[in-house]
Amino acid sequence: MKRSLTFDRIVGLTDGLPMPQKETLIEILSRRLAEERRIVLRNDIQSANSEFKAGKCRTVTAARLMKEIAG
C-alpha cells in the first residue's frame, strides 16, 4: 500500500539532503509561493474591477475605511 505524504514526512525527507539541495528546495518553494500569491492577488483585483464596473462598489470616507480595516 502506498504511504501518503504528510507535511511531517516531507520535512523529514529533507533532513537527508545536502545543504546546497536544501537551499535550492527553499528557493524553488519560495518562487512557487510568490507565484501563487500573485495569482490570488490578480484574481482579487479582477474581481474588484468587475464589481466596480458593475456599480457594486460604494464610496466611503477614509475614516470609515480605516474603521473597517481595524475591525
Side-chain angles (χ1 to χ4, degrees), residues 42-55:
R42 185 193 67 219
N43 291 341
D44 288 347
I45 291 169
Q46 288 174 340
S47 177
N49 194 29
S50 294
E51 288 179 15
F52 177 76
K53 287 180 180 179

Side-chain angles (χ1 to χ4, degrees), residues 4-69:
S4 63
L5 290 177
T6 64
F7 181 80
D8 289 338
R9 179 153 165 70
I10 292 169
V11 171
L13 289 172
T14 65
D15 289 340
L17 293 175
M19 187 66 70
Q21 288 182 345
K22 288 179 183 179
E23 292 168 344
T24 301
L25 179 60
I26 290 170
E27 291 171 12
I28 291 169
L29 292 174
S30 293
R31 282 194 298 268
R32 288 181 179 183
L33 184 56
E35 181 59 25
E36 285 183 35
R37 287 180 178 145
R38 278 191 287 274
I39 291 169
V40 169
L41 181 58
R42 185 193 67 219
N43 291 341
D44 288 347
I45 291 169
Q46 288 174 340
S47 177
N49 194 29
S50 294
E51 288 179 15
F52 177 76
K53 287 180 180 179
K56 295 180 181 178
C57 297
R58 59 183 169 86
T59 57
V60 295
T61 65
R64 173 74 181 185
L65 182 59
M66 293 306 293
K67 184 177 179 182
E68 287 183 24
I69 290 172

